[in-house]
Amino acid sequence: MKKTINSNSDFFRYMRHCTYGTPVIFIIINVFISFILFTISTSEIKKDNAFPFEEFSAGIGFRDGSIQQSSFVSDTLETYNAWAMLLDSTGNMIWEYGLPEKLHKSYTLSDIAMFSRYPEDNPVKLWKHELGLLVIGFRSGRKFRNGPLNDPRYFVPVNNCIIVMLILNFISILFLFVQNMRRFEKAVDPVLNAIHCLSLGKPFKLEETGRIAYINAELNRVGEILIKKDKSRINWIRGVSHDIRTPLAVIMGYANELESNLSLPDEVREQAGIIRRHGDKLGHLISDLNLAAKLEYGAQSIRHDTIVPAELVRIVVSSVLNAGIPESFAVRICEDPTAEVPAFTGDSVLVQRMLANLIRNSITHNPNGCVITVSAGICGDICFFEVSDTGCGMNKTAMERLNSGESAFGLNTTSESSEHGLGLKIVLKIVEFHGGKAVFTGNVPTGLKVKIELPLDGSRA
Amino acid sequence: MKDRTILIADDEADLRKLLLSVFNRAGYTHILTASSGNEALKIWEEKSPDMLILDVMLPGKDGFEVLKQIRQKSRVPVLLLTARGESEDKIAGFENGADDYLVKPFLTQELLLRVQAILNRSYPDKERVIRLGETQIHLDSSEAVCADKTSALTATELMILNKLLDNEGRIVTTGALCEVICGKSWYGYESTLAVHIRHLREKIEVNPSKPLSLLTVKGIGYNLVVKGGTQ
């Protein structure tokens, strides 16, 4: 069972162990495998390097009435820089080859026992021969030909070992690398998706298992907290707007009553009318605030209604006219036969809101009045809506910011004091919701023109 | 219609007072008020009003609960008047059986028009006569009397007229009128509507080419101006 990591220190301790431990394990395995490969590949050479006692012994025997050695015996003694003698059962030497002059011709049992005490660089080996005891002595400084450092026969297997180990190491490293990458991707991919969801305010749930379970658990917790916060904000705004609406209804109602009361002086009725209109603005502001919060915090779901763009424009304009606008304003519709078909899929409530906000924006920011023209049409796979006015327009900086996708909050858009704020922000959000784009330009000769392009197929939203 | 009894239930005293004043000024003589859901139910059981205007956020039983209880026994028309303007709340209102839903703040004229439209639908007056200037329209017999000439109104013309009367003085879009006549799939019916409007004008306008009552709002729809009032 894998050990669960519960903290940053655990995680980095694990990483350190992996980082330091892996090369150590590699070295140990390399040494072990190298030793095995070397042993296997040089076993024949070692066999070759061992003194051939049996063959040597067989090369000494009676020939032509005397004990003679074969050429193998003499060659072997040359190779090993050794001498040899044969002792009979009484200890007398009956044959020798290359015997040093200082050595005796006969030996007692105790002399033979002393043979094992010769120093390492002058070893003496004994071998039983049919004619007696074969004694082989190796001289010091003899050629040592059975080591890997100076025996050329070792070079090939050593090279082969190195090549094999390099290949094995390369394959191992590659395998480890690929495995680690896959594990890393498997662990990190959900985390990256979760972070992306966090940035969009969308909910997510990570599996709290594996090496980074504690990181996943923390992300889950953060996600829940953020979503709860967004919901709290939306609920708070909704609650406040509910609380404001009833008093506002009372204010507007009485203002309307006073405005309609013919027995009152004109000035009083006009003042009542002003109160009613501002009450109406407050009402729209509350609705906009609610919608802005829902759009901002992802609580607004989008509908897929089949819309006749021309009729949608008519509904919005008739609502504006039925609610009453000052006489200095005129709202017109520019008809386009392409817009008379149910070809657009989108959220009809949001799109109506978008157009209403644009019309109200023109009314709010042109106190001296203007002509507002609204149109809709279909071009290719785009449904466009256009709202233009003949008012004082918008300054270039504000238009550039709106066209760049930035909010118009806090901008001074005319030389007086009015600012485009929440209403246009909602327009841009609704356009974004539908996967469309909005372009703000100056109208000719004066005024503002807003062109909205939305994809006909609302499934892009 | 103005002698119908209307019950207004809202916990805000000033709003009740306002609505009382608005309805009285509009000619309604029997207006009852309640400040809670339980009180509204009690008055409904005792006085059997002809229509209820309910706030949703009432103390005790809320407007939805009151509506559900009423609907178990009666089809009395109910208009929900509320600060809860979310689409889910509207859908819940209609699913519970509300006839209409008006979000605060509202224009008092709009409230009056909606109440009138609901009462006209729920209690159609057999003797109801609409005066459009010099023309009288007898809705019960589907006839229009204009300059001593009596013309029969077709079913389609009557539907168009009723829709315009429900929204008297307000613009009704072309699509809304087409939908009344032929349902959701009204696209392409606009030119046929124009023909019906022309025939209607020939029956109700003194000078059909210069209409004074059934007005065209260019590019948007139509508006019925009732100068003589209704009886």
Side-chain angles (χ1 to χ4, degrees):
Chain A
M1 194 165 113
K2 283 184 189 168
K3 186 174 179 294
T4 309
I5 294 177
N6 294 318
S7 66
N8 287 349
S9 54
D10 279 353
F11 179 75
F12 288 112
R13 191 180 309 125
Y14 168 72
M15 293 301 290
R16 275 196 299 274
H17 289 165
C18 289
T19 306
Y20 301 145
T22 304
V24 168
I25 292 170
F26 248 86
I27 289 168
I28 293 171
I29 292 174
N30 266 283
V31 166
F32 182 67
I33 295 176
S34 298
F35 177 74
I36 292 172
L37 282 176
F38 183 74
T39 305
I40 293 169
S41 61
T42 57
S43 58
E44 290 301 316
I45 297 172
K46 279 184 190 151
K47 273 188 200 166
D48 288 346
N49 278 347
F51 192 89
F53 284 104
E54 283 195 32
E55 283 180 59
F56 185 86
S57 175
I60 302 171
F62 265 109
R63 287 188 193 92
D64 301 328
S66 62
I67 299 171
Q68 291 180 18
Q69 70 280 353
S70 65
S71 58
F72 175 77
V73 168
S74 49
D75 289 341
T76 303
L77 286 173
E78 279 291 327
T79 302
Y80 282 87
N81 193 22
W83 51 264
M85 63 178 174
L86 188 62
L87 301 177
D88 64 10
S89 57
T90 59
N92 292 322
M93 186 174 64
I94 55 176
W95 171 86
E96 61 83 20
Y97 187 95
L99 189 73
E101 285 186 13
K102 63 181 179 184
L103 292 181
H104 307 302
K105 303 293 183 189
S106 68
Y107 294 87
T108 62
L109 278 175
S110 58
D111 291 333
I112 292 168
M114 290 300 285
F115 285 160
S116 62
R117 297 227 178 151
Y118 275 92
E120 278 293 320
D121 58 343
N122 291 100
V124 174
K125 303 289 180 188
L126 303 176
W127 191 261
K128 191 174 182 310
H129 191 275
E130 59 185 357
L131 297 176
L133 182 69
L134 182 59
V135 180
I136 304 164
F138 296 90
R139 293 192 181 88
S140 61
R142 74 179 191 278
K143 287 181 192 174
F144 180 69
R145 293 183 65 191
N146 59 351
L149 291 178
N150 49 15
D151 186 346
R153 291 179 295 168
Y154 279 95
F155 291 164
V156 170
V158 166
N159 280 345
N160 290 343
C161 275
I162 290 171
I163 290 168
V164 167
M165 288 312 297
L166 278 174
I167 292 171
L168 282 177
N169 274 304
F170 177 75
I171 292 170
S172 304
I173 288 168
L174 193 64
F175 174 75
L176 281 174
F177 179 73
V178 168
Q179 270 294 94
N180 276 344
M181 278 306 297
R182 282 171 60 188
R183 272 198 211 159
F184 180 72
E185 198 182 329
K186 198 177 164 190
V188 170
D189 192 50
V191 171
L192 293 175
N193 285 337
I195 292 171
H196 183 62
C197 286
L198 266 178
S199 69
L200 298 174
K202 288 183 182 172
F204 61 88
K205 182 79 180 158
L206 292 171
E207 292 291 329
E208 294 176 15
T209 54
R211 293 273 177 205
I212 56 169
Y214 88 103
I215 294 177
N216 291 353
E218 283 297 307
L219 272 173
N220 282 340
R221 201 174 63 85
V222 166
E224 282 165 13
I225 289 171
L226 287 176
I227 285 174
K228 219 185 254 181
K229 270 191 184 170
D230 285 349
K231 276 190 184 155
S232 300
R233 275 193 209 114
I234 292 167
N235 287 338
W236 184 84
I237 290 170
R238 192 183 288 158
V240 167
S241 76
H242 291 163
D243 292 341
I244 290 174
R245 283 176 186 276
T246 298
L248 192 55
V250 174
I251 291 168
M252 282 176 62
Y254 276 116
N256 197 37
E257 290 292 281
L258 291 170
E259 192 182 8
S260 323
N261 190 342
L262 297 171
S263 65
L264 291 174
D266 288 344
E267 196 184 337
V268 173
R269 291 175 59 210
E270 196 183 321
Q271 288 167 354
I274 292 169
I275 294 171
R276 181 187 55 75
R277 281 196 297 279
H278 282 271
D280 194 38
K281 272 188 200 172
L282 270 177
H284 287 301
L285 193 60
I286 290 164
S287 296
D288 282 352
L289 188 62
N290 245 336
L291 181 60
K294 285 166 78 176
L295 291 171
E296 187 70 32
Y297 301 120
Q300 177 71 33
S301 54
I302 189 157
R303 290 159 32 158
H304 294 96
D305 305 315
T306 303
I307 297 169
V308 178
E311 178 62 14
L312 197 117
V313 168
R314 288 192 285 261
I315 290 170
V316 173
V317 172
S318 64
S319 297
V320 171
L321 294 175
N322 287 336
I325 56 173
E327 284 177 7
S328 54
F329 291 94
V331 183
R332 293 180 190 152
I333 291 181
C334 188
E335 296 176 65
D336 183 335
T338 62
E340 296 286 353
V341 290
F344 171 52
T345 303
D347 191 314
S348 61
V349 173
L350 287 180
V351 178
Q352 283 181 48
R353 190 67 164 272
M354 177 188 80
L355 290 174
N357 276 16
L358 285 172
I359 294 172
R360 253 206 318 280
N361 186 64
S362 291
I363 293 173
T364 303
H365 297 285
N366 295 290
N368 296 327
C370 63
V371 175
I372 302 167
T373 307
V374 189
S375 63
I378 290 173
C379 183
D381 61 350
I382 295 289
C383 174
F384 66 85
F385 297 92
E386 196 175 280
V387 178
S388 61
D389 64 51
T390 57
C392 51
M394 187 189 283
N395 72 45
K396 210 173 163 192
T397 313
M399 272 198 292
E400 280 168 5
R401 283 189 67 172
L402 286 167
N403 288 331
S404 70
E406 284 189 53
S407 162
F409 266 126
L411 287 173
N412 271 333
T413 54
T414 65
S415 57
E416 280 80 38
S417 61
S418 58
E419 292 183 353
H420 301 268
L422 195 54
L424 286 184
K425 181 170 181 161
I426 287 171
V427 167
L428 293 174
K429 269 290 180 189
I430 292 172
V431 170
E432 186 189 327
F433 245 56
H434 285 81
K437 67 173 185 178
V439 179
F440 293 76
T441 54
N443 200 9
V444 178
T446 60
L448 177 67
K449 186 193 286 187
V450 185
K451 186 165 182 181
I452 310 279
E453 291 180 357
L454 304 176
L456 277 183
D457 177 8
S459 63
R460 277 194 234 172
Chain B
M1 204 60 67
K2 298 284 170 77
D3 57 352
R4 296 283 176 186
T5 305
I6 300 174
L7 169 60
I8 300 170
D10 196 298
D11 58 329
E12 176 58 50
D14 287 336
L15 188 61
R16 287 199 306 274
K17 200 170 159 188
L18 166 70
L19 293 178
L20 198 57
S21 164
V22 166
F23 278 98
N24 283 336
R25 192 168 58 77
Y28 291 87
T29 52
H30 297 95
I31 304 294
L32 305 169
T33 60
S35 59
S36 69
N38 289 325
E39 191 184 345
L41 279 170
K42 189 169 169 238
I43 295 173
W44 171 69
E45 278 167 7
E46 288 170 5
K47 303 279 172 74
S48 301
D50 299 304
M51 181 174 174
L52 283 86
I53 297 173
L54 288 179
D55 183 24
V56 171
M57 303 295 288
L58 285 169
K61 286 196 173 120
D62 70 14
F64 289 145
E65 285 179 50
V66 171
L67 180 56
K68 263 190 217 167
Q69 254 185 271
I70 290 172
R71 282 287 172 260
Q72 284 170 4
K73 296 178 188 171
S74 165
R75 279 296 322 167
V76 64
V78 174
L79 182 144
L80 288 174
L81 188 69
T82 177
R84 283 167 64 160
E86 311 298 328
S87 45
E88 308 84 59
D89 300 315
K90 286 183 187 170
I91 290 167
F94 286 119
E95 280 178 350
N96 281 319
D99 293 86
D100 207 348
Y101 196 106
L102 190 57
V103 180
K104 297 173 188 174
F106 50 87
L107 293 171
T108 50
Q109 290 98 319
E110 187 175 354
L111 174 63
L112 287 170
L113 280 171
R114 285 178 186 249
V115 166
Q116 189 175 324
I118 291 171
L119 288 173
N120 286 342
R121 280 197 302 270
S122 304
Y123 307 102
D125 192 348
K126 289 193 175 164
E127 300 298 324
R128 194 166 160 229
V129 177
I130 310 292
R131 288 191 189 283
L132 301 175
E134 293 174 28
T135 304
Q136 284 187 14
I137 299 174
H138 298 263
L139 293 173
D140 56 322
S141 53
S142 302
E143 281 179 346
V145 180
C146 176
D148 298 324
K149 183 184 164 198
T150 302
S151 312
L153 298 172
T154 64
T156 304
E157 288 163 359
L158 204 58
M159 279 196 283
I160 292 171
L161 207 50
N162 275 321
K163 180 69 178 178
L164 290 168
L165 281 169
D166 283 347
N167 292 275
E168 181 199 322
R170 295 159 61 84
I171 304 167
V172 181
T173 63
T174 311
L177 287 172
C178 291
E179 194 175 337
V180 161
I181 300 165
C182 53
K184 296 275 181 198
S185 304
W186 55 264
Y187 326 113
Y189 201 78
E190 296 88 327
S191 47
T192 310
L193 174 69
V195 170
H196 286 299
I197 295 288
R198 183 163 55 80
H199 290 164
L200 196 51
R201 277 184 178 140
E202 285 165 1
K203 293 172 186 176
I204 66 173
E205 296 283 359
V206 172
N207 185 355
S209 49
K210 286 184 185 173
L212 297 174
S213 300
L214 181 46
L215 307 175
T216 300
V217 183
K218 190 175 184 304
I220 305 176
Y222 301 91
N223 185 357
L224 186 71
V225 177
V226 181
K227 286 179 185 164
T230 63
Q231 288 183 346

